[in-house]
Amino acid sequence: MKLAEIKIYLDDELDQRFRRLAMNVYGYGRGSISKAGSDALAKWCRDHEAATEPLSHGLDTTPEAVNTMVKEDGPKTSALHSGFLRGKTEVSQTAS
């Protein structure tokens, strides 16, 4: 299994809470922070995938397809694209 590296920025309080809890749950050995981070990101993805699944309505919502749609359809689709990514189903049209 290939592992990727992600760099994130946290405020000090959240960093300390996360590290303390990760070590309490997974132990003080090597990899406990990575294991807790991987579990947290997997849960976040599951939660957000479940929340956004009905919004796709069978459309191809891969980043490549959405970016192509935005480029082809212009400002109206850009507003829809932005709203879709934020989980909104209604987007006001600011451009015609």
Side-chain angles (χ1 to χ4, degrees), residues 31-84:
S32 61
I33 304 287
S34 292
K35 176 67 175 148
S38 181
D39 288 352
L41 289 170
K43 181 184 182 323
W44 187 91
C45 287
R46 280 192 310 274
D47 292 350
H48 285 80
E49 286 167 345
T52 59
E53 188 69 29
L55 296 178
S56 67
H57 300 289
L59 297 173
D60 183 358
T61 57
T62 61
E64 296 82 14
V66 172
N67 286 335
T68 300
M69 205 177 4
V70 170
K71 287 177 188 171
E72 290 174 358
D73 293 340
K76 287 183 184 177
T77 303
S78 295
L80 178 62
H81 174 246
S82 298
F84 179 79

Side-chain angles (χ1 to χ4, degrees), residues 17-39:
R17 286 175 52 209
F18 180 76
R19 289 174 185 274
R20 179 177 37 83
L21 289 168
M23 289 182 210
N24 285 339
V25 172
Y26 295 107
Y28 291 88
R30 181 181 174 137
S32 61
I33 304 287
S34 292
K35 176 67 175 148
S38 181
D39 288 352

Side-chain angles (χ1 to χ4, degrees), residues 3-15:
L3 299 176
E5 180 178 353
I6 296 177
K7 184 174 185 175
I8 61 173
Y9 297 93
L10 306 172
D11 66 53
D12 288 339
E13 180 185 346
L14 180 57
D15 176 57

Side-chain angles (χ1 to χ4, degrees), residues 75-95:
K76 287 183 184 177
T77 303
S78 295
L80 178 62
H81 174 246
S82 298
F84 179 79
L85 292 178
R86 288 192 306 274
K88 296 182 179 179
T89 55
E90 294 180 24
V91 179
S92 62
Q93 294 183 1
T94 56

